[in-house]
Amino acid sequence: MNLQTDFTVSFEKEIRGKVEELSRDLEGDLELQLDVQFELESHLWESYDANIVRGMSEEESSEQAFKDFGALSEVKERLLAGNLKRLNKRAQVKAMLWYVFVPLSIFTALFFGGREYFELSRELPQSALDPKIVKLRQLENDFSDELYQELSQQMPNNAYLDSLWLGKHLEKSVNREMAEVSSEEEFAKLMQKMQEMVKKTDFDALRLEEMQVYQNFGRKSFIKSIKDVGHAAAFILPDLGSLRNFGKAVVKRGKVNEIRLLEKICRQRLENSDTLIEVLVIGALGRIYTENKSLMENPELAKSSGFFSRCSQVIAGWKEKKKVGDKEFEKIFMEKSSMLASMVIPAVGTIEEMTKPKFFKESREMEYNFFEKYYFSLLNSIGFIIMLGLIAFLAWHKLIKGQKQSLQLYSMCEWLLHWAKFILVPLVAYQIYKFLPFASINWSIKETLVLYSIELLTLTFLLFILSSWSLFCKYSKKLIIFDLADKKSLHKFKVSLLTVCLVLPISLVTVALCIQVLQEAALSEIVQMVFSINPVIFSGWFYVIFAFFALLIMLLKWLKASSIALCSLAQGQLINLAFLSLSLSIYSFIYLGYLESENAKNDRLIISKSSFTSVEEKVTKNLKKSMLNK
């Protein structure tokens, strides 16, 4: 433009006055009004400069520029008519973003978060169980002859009830510490009851029925699987201790008819056993029996001796195999297993299927789905808090400082493009990355803790930092054009922001490496994993990210910019976070929740009909088969 002479300064003021008057009808949309003012000013100055080039004086150039521009009233009408459609459209976009989209993102995050909390806190009501199951559990916890008689009438062929009766009445006839009969009369009654028990066709603690009710209750998930395992593992087996004491007393007495009855009881229990502990108790009785040489050498007890000897040998062989281990399996277990597997497998041993890496796939991926779901939901919570802070900032400027206008610098198409580039693309790319063989999800989380932390950190950086940075840069350009912010001040702010963006990932990688060092310390695996991943890494990330946005708000406050500029930047970041919040809610709670549920349904480690894991069920089945010589 021209050198700033006294006339050009006067001409500039005249242009500004006319342009403000012409655009007064567009003040409902501040950005549109500023856009139109900028275009009108540019047009008038271009006309003025062209007239100067033709040889006109400054006064003649200004008069001709206004003359070419047209009558003020006519131009004003044309401006309003030409921009009315644009004005209405932009008003609709702004209203939709402010009054629909932002509340929708907040509601969605709260709804899914509340639903998840409700799912986790739900407990199966006792009314959902069969009354017989409830009464049977009462009998296990507190035996009474009245309840026993009631259940015996309902389940007359169930020998499990008699095994509970044995536990209650054994102390009347057997000294537990000495394993000796203290009352022959009471012991005779007990033997008579056991004779009746072995004739019954059923031996059912109704555990299968109860587990099915619990497994069908609620949505399948990682936490649900742990609850189901915990419930199955918590089943009370009060009759096992009594059976062991009864067997020790019978073996010590050494009477042929009593030994044969004990064999029948053990066979009946073994054939109907669902859990490993039941098989181990029978194996322990077998070991006690084989240590009695007189019984082993008695020809009348050849069949019983063969049975108890086989039981003892099978369990001893299984324990020895557990000690020796399988190097190939140990390698697969270390590299491919899940945290849940590390809790249950060492106690029950291995099965053939576990030597295949795919055995742990669903269990391992379910854990990754769980951690990611809660990582992104907690990350979403941080974004939600920042959104509330931005809303409070805008409300303060509007109510206290009286700044009711702000610039909506992006159109809906631009917002959708921004969402696609900086939110949708990173999430889709992350999902594609998971299919690569070196991605952490294909390996045990214990083995790839640092890599997994870096993966999440990178995605977090792209979603939060890069999207905010890009938005700020684009907003800054328009604010400078509209002369609403100081260019040097914005440049200094960008440099500070870029420094934080570079320092943030380095600090988080350092945290992850420190956690890896902690992982190698002598801490309990499961406690350490839950403790280190959740509060140290995850919460540490959240605090750093929260600090970043807090610093961003403070830096905005120090900017040499008008209230309109500050409110515009805050409004832009609020909408950006609304897009991010809605996307993360859908990604974490719907998509990852679906994957977690499907992996829980197909988890070969957990799926079991009667035992608390499929591994225990198969180990128990194999041991039973060998002990019964089937």
Side-chain angles (χ1 to χ4, degrees):
M1 289 191 183
N2 303 338
L3 296 174
Q4 291 291 307
T5 64
D6 290 341
F7 181 82
T8 55
V9 171
S10 174
F11 180 59
E12 184 177 358
K13 289 181 179 179
E14 188 176 0
I15 287 177
R16 180 60 58 89
K18 289 185 180 296
V19 164
E20 288 179 355
E21 176 63 27
L22 288 169
S23 62
R24 195 177 303 280
D25 290 338
L26 304 177
E27 62 185 5
D29 189 326
L30 183 59
E31 186 198 354
L32 179 60
Q33 186 183 36
L34 291 172
D35 271 336
V36 169
Q37 288 178 0
F38 181 76
E39 290 173 6
L40 293 176
E41 286 184 18
S42 298
H43 175 74
L44 287 169
W45 277 111
E46 287 173 3
S47 178
Y48 174 82
D49 290 338
N51 292 332
I52 291 291
V53 171
R54 294 191 191 102
M56 294 183 183
S57 64
E58 291 181 338
E59 292 82 355
E60 291 173 336
S61 296
S62 62
E63 287 181 12
Q64 187 62 39
F66 283 122
K67 184 177 180 181
D68 293 341
F69 193 66
L72 193 65
S73 58
E74 293 178 3
V75 174
K76 191 173 183 180
E77 288 178 7
R78 289 202 305 270
L79 276 175
L80 181 60
N83 288 283
L84 187 60
K85 185 176 180 181
R86 185 181 172 194
L87 183 66
N88 292 333
K89 186 177 180 180
R90 289 176 59 82
Q92 291 172 1
V93 170
K94 189 172 184 178
M96 186 178 73
L97 288 172
W98 268 103
Y99 302 113
V100 178
F101 186 71
V102 172
L104 176 64
S105 67
I106 295 174
F107 172 78
T108 302
L110 293 175
F111 171 77
F112 283 116
R115 190 190 70 167
E116 196 70 20
Y117 175 78
F118 174 74
E119 283 287 337
L120 290 176
S121 60
R122 285 179 73 192
E123 296 292 341
L124 181 74
Q126 287 291 303
S127 58
L129 293 172
D130 189 309
K132 288 190 293 186
I133 296 176
V134 176
K135 290 178 181 179
L136 188 56
R137 300 295 167 257
Q138 292 175 356
L139 190 66
E140 291 172 344
N141 285 287
D142 185 17
F143 186 92
S144 70
D145 289 319
E146 294 79 9
L147 188 55
Y148 166 75
Q149 293 297 334
E150 181 183 345
L151 287 172
S152 295
Q153 292 177 0
Q154 296 178 17
M155 298 180 285
N157 292 316
N158 194 344
Y160 179 67
L161 299 174
D162 296 324
S163 72
L164 296 176
W165 183 94
L166 169 67
K168 177 64 177 179
H169 294 84
L170 183 67
E171 60 185 18
K172 295 180 181 180
S173 57
V174 174
N175 185 315
R176 297 189 180 188
E177 294 182 2
M178 302 296 294
E180 294 178 349
V181 174
S182 57
S183 171
E184 288 291 340
E185 181 181 353
E186 291 296 328
F187 192 73
K189 292 180 181 179
L190 190 143
M191 293 300 291
Q192 179 63 36
K193 192 71 174 178
M194 295 300 98
Q195 290 281 4
E196 296 174 3
M197 184 181 79
V198 296
K199 293 178 182 178
K200 293 184 177 180
T201 55
D202 297 330
F203 194 100
D204 191 0
L206 303 181
R207 286 194 290 268
L208 173 59
E209 291 81 357
E210 183 173 351
M211 285 179 64
Q212 285 179 338
V213 173
Y214 273 92
Q215 289 172 358
N216 293 331
F217 177 75
R219 182 172 56 86
K220 294 287 184 181
S221 66
F222 175 69
I223 295 296
K224 176 72 166 54
S225 296
I226 291 179
K227 283 185 174 182
D228 289 343
V229 170
H231 177 77
F235 276 125
I236 299 174
L237 302 171
D239 59 319
L240 286 179
S242 303
L243 176 60
R244 182 185 175 94
N245 292 328
F246 172 74
K248 288 169 68 177
V250 168
V251 169
K252 194 170 185 179
R253 283 164 67 88
K255 293 184 177 182
V256 174
N257 62 325
E258 293 178 358
I259 293 293
R260 288 174 176 169
L261 178 60
L262 177 63
E263 179 196 351
K264 291 179 181 179
I265 293 172
C266 289
R267 284 182 179 275
Q268 183 187 54
R269 186 59 183 258
L270 196 59
E271 288 172 353
N272 294 279
S273 61
D274 300 319
T275 60
L276 183 60
I277 185 64
E278 295 174 283
V279 176
L280 293 177
V281 168
I282 304 299
L285 285 176
R287 179 181 54 79
I288 293 170
Y289 181 95
T290 55
E291 289 174 353
N292 191 318
K293 293 184 179 180
S294 61
L295 293 178
M296 292 294 292
E297 294 172 356
N298 189 336
E300 293 184 77
L301 294 174
K303 182 182 176 183
S304 298
S305 297
F307 170 74
F308 285 115
S309 177
R310 187 166 56 252
C311 290
S312 176
Q313 290 172 5
V314 168
I315 297 302
W318 171 75
K319 289 182 177 179
E320 187 62 29
K321 187 178 179 181
K322 273 182 57 181
K323 289 181 182 179
V324 174
D326 184 332
K327 290 185 179 179
E328 182 182 354
F329 166 73
E330 288 177 0
K331 183 176 183 295
I332 293 172
F333 184 73
M334 287 296 295
E335 294 179 349
K336 299 291 186 178
S337 70
S338 61
M339 288 166 50
L340 196 56
S342 66
M343 294 172 59
V344 300
I345 288 177
V348 300
T350 63
I351 56 176
E352 184 180 352
E353 291 91 330
M354 290 166 56
T355 58
K356 300 174 183 177
K358 289 186 177 180
F359 178 83
F360 298 104
K361 181 177 182 292
E362 291 82 6
S363 179
R364 183 184 64 250
E365 290 185 357
M366 175 176 64
E367 290 178 359
Y368 275 96
N369 298 149
F370 168 77
F371 281 121
E372 286 181 17
K373 183 175 72 173
Y374 281 96
Y375 172 77
F376 287 116
S377 63
L378 289 172
L379 202 63
N380 204 6
S381 300
I382 297 297
F384 177 71
I385 294 172
I386 297 170
M387 286 175 68
L388 293 180
L390 290 172
I391 291 172
F393 177 81
L394 291 168
W396 179 72
H397 270 268
K398 182 177 181 180
L399 300 176
I400 306 300
K401 300 191 72 174
Q403 179 57 55
K404 297 182 179 180
Q405 289 185 312
S406 60
L407 300 180
Q408 176 58 47
L409 297 178
Y410 270 11
S411 65
M412 181 56 75
C413 289
E414 288 174 312
W415 273 120
L416 291 175
L417 182 62
H418 175 84
W419 167 75
K421 286 172 62 177
F422 297 104
I423 299 175
L424 181 62
V425 169
L427 288 174
V428 172
Y430 180 61
Q431 288 305 120
I432 295 173
Y433 165 80
K434 287 182 181 181
F435 290 103
L436 299 177
F438 53 80
S440 59
I441 196 170
N442 297 306
W443 304 86
S444 170
I445 197 171
K446 301 188 295 295
E447 295 293 304
T448 60
L449 184 55
V450 171
L451 175 61
Y452 187 40
S453 302
I454 293 173
E455 289 172 356
L456 291 178
L457 167 62
T458 303
L459 184 59
T460 303
F461 178 81
L462 292 173
L463 291 174
F464 273 80
I465 311 302
L466 206 57
S467 64
S468 299
W469 168 262
S470 172
L471 186 71
F472 176 79
C473 291
K474 290 184 178 180
Y475 265 48
S476 298
K477 291 179 181 178
K478 286 197 174 184
L479 291 175
I480 292 171
I481 291 173
F482 294 148
D483 198 24
L484 294 173
D486 180 63
K487 187 175 182 179
K488 290 183 178 179
S489 176
L490 281 172
H491 177 72
K492 290 179 180 179
F493 177 82
K494 287 181 181 179
V495 173
S496 302
L497 192 60
L498 182 60
T499 303
V500 174
C501 291
L502 293 175
V503 171
L504 179 64
I506 295 172
S507 62
L508 293 182
V509 169
T510 304
V511 172
L513 290 172
C514 291
I515 294 306
Q516 180 67 19
V517 173
L518 286 177
Q519 186 194 17
E520 296 173 359
L523 295 174
S524 167
E525 284 188 7
I526 182 64
V527 174
Q528 172 225 331
M529 285 300 298
V530 172
F531 179 80
S532 65
I533 288 176
N534 207 357
V536 180
I537 291 183
F538 284 3
S539 297
W541 290 14
F542 297 147
Y543 290 135
V544 174
I545 293 166
F546 184 79
F548 167 80
F549 280 98
L551 178 61
L552 176 64
I553 293 174
M554 286 191 292
L555 288 174
L556 284 173
K557 188 66 179 174
W558 296 334
L559 271 177
K560 292 180 180 179
S562 64
S563 294
I564 293 177
L566 292 175
C567 289
S568 301
L569 288 169
Q571 175 185 290
Q573 293 298 340
L574 176 62
I575 297 172
N576 176 54
L577 287 172
F579 271 100
L580 186 57
S581 175
L582 186 61
S583 301
L584 287 180
S585 295
I586 294 171
Y587 176 74
S588 59
F589 291 115
I590 296 180
Y591 178 69
L592 290 178
Y594 169 77
L595 293 181
E596 181 190 15
S597 180
E598 288 300 304
N599 282 321
K601 291 176 184 176
N602 301 316
D603 185 6
R604 282 169 280 191
L605 176 67
I606 299 300
I607 296 173
S608 174
K609 294 182 179 180
S610 51
S611 299
F612 73 98
T613 65
S614 64
V615 178
E616 184 192 5
E617 182 179 25
K618 290 176 181 178
V619 168
T620 302
K621 183 179 179 180
N622 292 337
L623 291 175
K624 283 169 54 177
K625 186 177 180 180
S626 299
M627 292 165 76
L628 293 169
N629 198 23
K630 291 185 178 180

